[in-house]
């Protein structure tokens, strides 16, 4: 979830908690400011898969009788670092092996990626084969992403929204991180575009979490002042890269956002995400979210 700022004018915003001004420090890219999403919604509905990615329980015994996974599942929204860890685990390799193999993989990434595969490790089920290697798996993921992202529908959708494909993938990664349901994805994407059009900073907790390599509901004032290109509270426009690896539904939302005038949203409780263009209404929704979370924290924990 995010706490959004009200527009000062068509070109700016003021922070809701601390009434500090946000300045454009990025330059060419335009920005938006989104709401705090309530990742609790995913956790409560079981949509978050434990761990980075999952080696599916399809096992094969090798010559020594040891069982090993035959496939690797990469869920939507996993960060590249999580994918590397999952590949290491699935192939029983020392930690860090897959990340070190990037140079040898010669991945076919867009020029804008500058060698960083974030956003292009496509979520899917990948067979490990007889002689799996990190390079083979990473190549399969990127090749799958290229097939999904560079086809005519996505390219045309990106162009229709004045984006290149890499920017569309970046928006899709934010949508994937912020939206709890398929329906919400289209609305979150629309909030992104509405804010960009108004010159508002994104101020998204999901980008702060990416910068700090964490996942949390709480973003402090100190967090919003970190020196990072992914600090969308301080920097204008989209982050420099995707913040996760989005799936097909998030990508479709990024190129076909739901029509609407929303500028703010907050997941008050699981299944109840509220979108609005009115800042005062949004503040009331945020207050209800805070009360709901406070109440939940006081409930006795089952053992």
């Amino acid at each position: 979830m995010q706490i959004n700022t009200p527009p000062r004018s068509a070109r700016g915003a003021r922070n809701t908690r601390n009434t500090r001004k946000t300045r454009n420090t990025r330059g060419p890219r335009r920005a938006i400011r989104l709401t705090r999403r309530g990742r609790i919604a995913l956790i409560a509905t079981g949509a978050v898969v434990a761990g980075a990615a999952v080696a599916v329980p399809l096992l094969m015994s090798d010559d020594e009788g040891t069982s090993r996974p035959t496939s690797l599942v990469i869920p939507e929204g996993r960060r590249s670092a999580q994918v590397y860890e999952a590949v290491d685990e699935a192939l029983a390799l020392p930690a860090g092996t897959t990340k070190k193999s990037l140079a040898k993989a010669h991945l076919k990434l867009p020029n804008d990626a500058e060698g960083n595969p974030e956003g292009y490790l496509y979520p899917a089920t990948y067979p490990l084969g007889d002689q799996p290697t990190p390079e083979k798996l990473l190549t399969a993921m990127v090749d799958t992403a290229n097939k999904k992202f560079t086809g005519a529908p996505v390219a045309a959708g990106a162009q229709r929204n004045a984006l290149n494909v890499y920017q569309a993938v970046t928006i899709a990664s934010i949508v994937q991180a912020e939206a709890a349901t398929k329906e919400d994805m289209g609305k979150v994407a629309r909030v992104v575009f509405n804010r960009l059009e108004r010159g508002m900073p994104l101020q998204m907790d999901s980008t702060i979490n990416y910068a700090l390599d964490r996942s949390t509901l709480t973003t402090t004032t100190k967090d919003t002042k970190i020196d990072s290109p992914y600090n969308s509270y301080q920097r204008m426009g989209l982050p420099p890269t995707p913040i996760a690896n989005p799936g097909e539904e998030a990508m479709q939302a990024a190129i076909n956002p739901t029509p609407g005038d929303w500028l703010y949203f907050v997941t008050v409780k699981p299944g109840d995400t509220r979108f609005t263009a009115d800042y005062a209404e949004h503040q009331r929704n945020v207050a209800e979210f805070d009360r709901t979370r406070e109440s939940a924290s006081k409930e006795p924990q089952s053992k």
Side-chain angles (χ1 to χ4, degrees), residues 4 13 33 92 138 159 172 201 204 218 261-262 276 285 298-299:
N4 286 219
R33 164 168 183 168
L138 293 175
Q159 186 176 21
M204 287 234 232
T218 303
D261 63 352
W262 312 293
T276 181
N285 292 337
K298 292 179 180 178
E299 292 180 0

Side-chain angles (χ1 to χ4, degrees), residues 102-295:
L102 285 172
K104 297 184 293 181
H106 301 294
L107 302 175
K108 296 179 180 178
L109 297 166
N111 291 335
D112 286 347
E114 298 182 351
N116 181 355
E118 191 73 85
Y120 280 75
L121 301 177
Y122 196 79
T125 300
Y126 296 94
L128 299 183
D130 293 333
Q131 295 181 318
T133 66
E135 293 87 350
K136 288 179 181 179
L137 283 169
L138 293 175
T139 296
M141 294 175 198
V142 172
D143 287 350
T144 301
N146 284 328
K147 290 176 183 178
K148 296 285 187 178
F149 296 157
T150 60
V154 171
Q159 186 176 21
R160 185 171 60 249
N161 290 288
L163 305 169
N164 62 33
V165 170
Y166 191 72
Q167 290 171 321
V169 174
T170 300
I171 291 177
S173 74
I174 294 171
V175 169
Q176 188 79 67
E178 293 285 333
T181 67
K182 180 179 179 179
E183 180 183 10
D184 286 349
M185 285 182 177
K187 293 180 178 180
V188 169
R190 176 54 65 189
V191 172
V192 171
F193 283 106
N194 286 347
R195 286 180 164 273
L196 287 172
E197 290 172 359
R198 288 161 176 76
M200 299 171 69
L202 285 175
Q203 294 183 313
M204 287 234 232
D205 289 359
S206 57
T207 65
I208 295 287
N209 282 340
Y210 185 79
L212 296 174
D213 191 25
R214 68 181 192 189
S215 294
T216 181
L217 278 173
T218 303
T219 297
T220 66
T221 300
K222 182 179 179 180
D223 292 338
T224 65
K225 294 179 179 180
I226 62 171
D227 183 14
S228 169
Y230 295 92
N231 183 353
S232 60
Y233 281 77
Q234 299 287 347
R235 309 281 180 122
M236 298 295 288
L238 296 173
T241 72
I243 60 170
N245 295 283
E248 185 171 358
E249 290 181 348
M251 191 64 185
Q252 287 301 312
I255 61 174
N256 296 297
T258 304
D261 63 352
W262 312 293
L263 292 172
Y264 316 100
F265 67 89
V266 59
T267 298
V268 174
K269 56 186 176 181
D272 184 8
T273 300
R274 302 178 190 178
F275 294 80
T276 181
D278 182 79
Y279 179 66
E281 180 182 356
H282 176 64
Q283 285 292 84
R284 292 192 292 271
N285 292 337
V286 170
E288 185 172 345
F289 165 80
D290 289 336
R291 289 193 299 271
T292 299
R293 192 168 67 154
E294 182 178 0
S295 177

Side-chain angles (χ1 to χ4, degrees), residues 57-80:
L58 301 175
L59 304 178
M60 174 185 291
S61 296
D62 58 22
D63 293 340
E64 298 179 356
T66 302
S67 295
R68 65 176 179 84
T70 61
S71 298
L72 179 71
V73 175
I74 306 298
E76 290 87 350
R78 293 303 179 270
R79 298 170 185 166
S80 59

